[in-house]
Amino acid sequence: MGTTRTSRLLVAAAASALLAFAGIPALASASDSAPAAAGTAPPSAVEDFGYPDAENILVAKGIKLIKGDGHVLLTDCASPDSQIKVMTVKDESVGRDGSYCFQATAKTGYLTLELPRVFYIETQDHPISADLTADGTTKTVAVAKDDFASVGEGTVGGAQSVLVEIRVTG
């Protein structure tokens, strides 16, 4: 009897082991997701800070918004939330308005953009610094809270300038 019982246990153990080994690939393939197609990558989970709906805004308003941290937002100049006003030379052929306004939603923030022919920047609730490019050089202009600055061609002998960044500094 002892031999029969041992034999049965050995047979049961062998059968269990065989099933376990046979079942591992089946379980592994059931839990794996489908393989990615060659040359494709899964979508990135890293934030790129791209400005939402930037392509449509460029077409509709003539301003190229590139990226930011979400604390400087384009807004309607008639809105009570507009705190930064930028004046440009209006150009209907490219859809560019004469003025653009932005809302700062925090004490610090930034927005990179491309807005040609800027000549005036005004602030209300927050001081800012603005980077403008002209003739291959970049100039940073600080504008205090509740103040304004003439920039680019808005200054005597000033060159046509492109506003490339707004930073809220306090």
Side-chain angles (χ1 to χ4, degrees):
M1 248 198 209
T3 307
T4 308
R5 181 177 173 158
T6 303
S7 297
R8 284 187 203 158
L9 285 175
L10 286 174
V11 169
S16 293
L18 182 60
L19 287 174
F21 285 123
I24 288 175
L27 290 175
S29 65
S31 65
D32 289 346
S33 60
T40 62
S44 175
V46 176
E47 175 63 57
D48 68 356
F49 298 100
Y51 200 91
D53 205 27
E55 290 178 19
N56 290 332
I57 293 170
L58 176 60
V59 170
K61 299 190 178 285
I63 180 172
K64 184 176 183 181
L65 303 173
I66 301 170
K67 66 179 181 175
D69 63 1
H71 297 297
V72 180
L73 305 171
L74 181 67
T75 189
D76 188 317
C77 287
S79 168
D81 294 329
S82 70
Q83 302 160 350
I84 303 164
K85 186 174 188 175
V86 177
M87 301 290 293
T88 68
V89 174
K90 185 175 182 173
D91 186 348
E92 292 178 5
S93 69
V94 294
R96 188 172 57 242
D97 292 336
S99 62
Y100 294 90
C101 293
F102 301 89
Q103 175 187 8
T105 62
K107 289 189 176 211
T108 61
Y110 79 95
L111 175 64
T112 59
L113 65 158
E114 287 180 15
L115 185 57
R117 309 277 317 259
V118 171
F119 63 86
Y120 175 88
I121 301 172
E122 179 180 348
T123 65
Q124 289 178 4
D125 300 332
H126 300 279
I128 67 162
S129 66
D131 290 347
L132 297 108
T133 61
D135 301 326
T137 62
T138 300
K139 180 179 180 182
T140 300
V141 176
V143 185
K145 173 182 170 182
D146 296 320
D147 203 358
F148 69 91
S150 294
V151 297
E153 60 192 285
T155 61
V156 176
Q160 290 184 7
S161 298
V162 177
L163 177 62
V164 294
E165 186 168 272
I166 297 171
R167 285 180 307 282
V168 176
T169 58

